[in-house]
Amino acid sequence: MSRSMLRSLLELRTPFARRPLSFLLPSRALSTTAAPMQTAASSHIGIPPGPGPKLAPTAPPPAEAAESLAQLFPLLRAQPRHYITAHIHGRPYLVTEGDQIRLPFKMPDVLPGDVLRLDRASILGSRDYTLKGTPWIDSALFECRATVLGTESEPLRIKIKTKRRNRRSQRVTSKHKYTILRISELKILDSAA
């Protein structure tokens, strides 16, 4: 901000000029200096202090969470269709029963027809209710099974690699393979069991 603009702001006789000059500070400094300046200015001018600093939401206490789960889990279970965010090799996949997943890698040591149990999930829900894990949902609450359909490969990719000021070029080929899964079963189990 230029000096002339700052001088004109200070010379104004408006309520805006009476406010503390916290808007002139960088955004890093606002979080540490804005609150004390507002309280000092409010005692002299009569401006009510602003709201306090915003805090990040915290998880409810374990007893409260268990009570909420016991009360709302039967309602989630009674819903007709469910979805789940299952994590396979650290990657999240939002799926429902019958969905087909193409993993971006070839899963080692699986054959077509193998049934995998996906026990790592962060979200389980329906149209009206959602259960979020911190970070994971207990695997005793749901059962998600996926059937390996097979592997497929992409078409052969050819890339010509060259370097500047050099006539030599190199052909680099790649043909990646992917594993295909189908979600064969998604059940929400009884929480008491």
Side-chain angles (χ1 to χ4, degrees), residues 39-181:
T39 55
S42 63
S43 63
H44 297 298
I45 301 173
I47 300 172
K54 293 183 180 178
L55 300 174
T58 59
E64 195 176 304
E67 180 183 321
S68 171
L69 180 65
Q71 182 183 10
L72 296 174
F73 194 72
L75 298 174
L76 170 66
R77 198 166 172 250
Q79 295 280 315
R81 288 186 52 90
H82 301 100
Y83 66 89
I84 191 169
T85 302
H87 291 254
I88 304 171
H89 286 282
R91 296 172 189 248
Y93 298 93
L94 192 142
V95 294
T96 60
E97 189 171 343
D99 282 357
Q100 191 171 330
I101 307 171
R102 178 180 166 204
L103 301 177
F105 53 87
K106 183 178 184 291
M107 191 176 272
D109 302 328
V110 294
L111 297 172
D114 287 353
V115 177
L116 308 174
R117 176 156 187 216
L118 307 178
D119 60 351
R120 197 148 288 212
S122 58
I123 297 174
L124 176 65
S126 66
R127 180 182 288 273
D128 299 325
Y129 300 99
T130 302
L131 176 64
K132 292 185 179 179
T134 54
W136 311 115
I137 296 172
D138 184 15
S139 60
L141 296 176
F142 68 93
E143 191 172 299
C144 182
R145 298 193 185 276
T147 306
V148 178
L149 298 180
T151 59
E152 70 177 27
S153 58
E154 67 179 1
L156 183 70
R157 277 197 250 179
I158 301 172
K159 180 164 180 151
I160 309 292
K161 296 256 188 177
T162 60
K163 291 186 177 179
R164 287 177 298 181
R165 299 180 297 278
N166 194 345
R167 291 181 182 173
R168 184 176 175 273
S169 61
Q170 183 179 7
R171 281 179 80 225
V172 177
T173 60
S174 64
K175 186 169 184 161
H176 297 289
K177 295 188 176 183
Y178 305 108
T179 302
I180 309 295
L181 303 177

Side-chain angles (χ1 to χ4, degrees), residues 1-14 17:
M1 183 179 290
S2 67
R3 281 190 200 152
S4 59
M5 184 180 267
L6 178 63
R7 191 175 299 126
S8 64
L9 277 175
L10 293 173
E11 290 174 357
L12 287 175
R13 303 280 183 209
T14 62

